[in-house]
């Protein structure tokens, strides 16, 4: 369940500060959030897909660690990103 190339590029441009900064924390969190949303939509239709559910839990865990790192490093960027992506925290 990967994202479309255009969606990835749009998220990277918006949160990565330019089109080539794919490694920024904000861009990584935004990409993970978009993948998590698409998997949630998948589970509405396929309730018994447990192998993909395990992958979802791994994505959520990775995003949680990145969010914690961002909060420790830059509190203002953390608050802004959480608000924009509509993440509970």
């Amino acid at each position: 369940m990967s994202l479309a190339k255009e969606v990835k590029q749009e998220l990277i441009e918006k949160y990565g500060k330019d089109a080539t900064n794919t490694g920024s924390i904000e861009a990584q969190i935004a990409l993970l959030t978009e993948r998590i949303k698409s998997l949630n939509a998948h589970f509405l239709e396929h309730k018994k897909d447990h192998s993909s559910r395990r992958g979802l839990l791994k994505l959520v865990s990775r995003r949680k660690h990145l969010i914690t790192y961002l909060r420790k490093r830059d509190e203002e960027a953390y608050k802004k990103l959480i608000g924009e992506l509509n993440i509970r925290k």
Side-chain angles (χ1 to χ4, degrees):
M1 292 257 157
S2 64
L3 298 174
K5 188 175 183 179
E6 297 81 23
V7 174
K8 276 187 180 182
Q9 191 63 34
E10 179 184 318
L11 288 171
I12 291 169
E13 288 173 3
K14 183 174 181 184
Y15 295 104
K17 300 177 179 71
D18 65 17
T20 59
N21 192 0
T22 59
S24 75
I25 302 165
E26 293 90 348
Q28 290 181 36
I29 292 171
L31 289 171
L32 286 171
T33 300
E34 196 64 34
R35 284 183 62 195
I36 288 168
K37 286 179 183 177
S38 70
L39 276 173
N40 279 333
H42 169 78
F43 290 128
L44 292 176
E45 186 176 336
H46 305 283
K47 296 184 186 329
K48 296 185 179 185
D49 188 1
H50 298 296
S51 59
S52 294
R53 192 170 306 274
R54 180 174 183 264
L56 172 69
L57 292 175
K58 288 173 75 173
L59 290 176
V60 170
S61 176
R62 187 180 318 160
R63 182 180 72 174
K64 179 183 175 187
H65 290 288
L66 287 172
I67 288 173
T68 303
Y69 175 75
L70 179 63
R71 187 178 67 216
K72 289 179 183 177
R73 187 167 180 186
D74 187 2
E75 184 76 26
E76 290 300 317
Y78 162 77
K79 289 179 182 177
K80 181 181 174 192
L81 186 67
I82 294 298
E84 287 178 7
L85 293 176
N86 219 4
I87 299 174
R88 296 183 299 169
K89 197 67 178 168

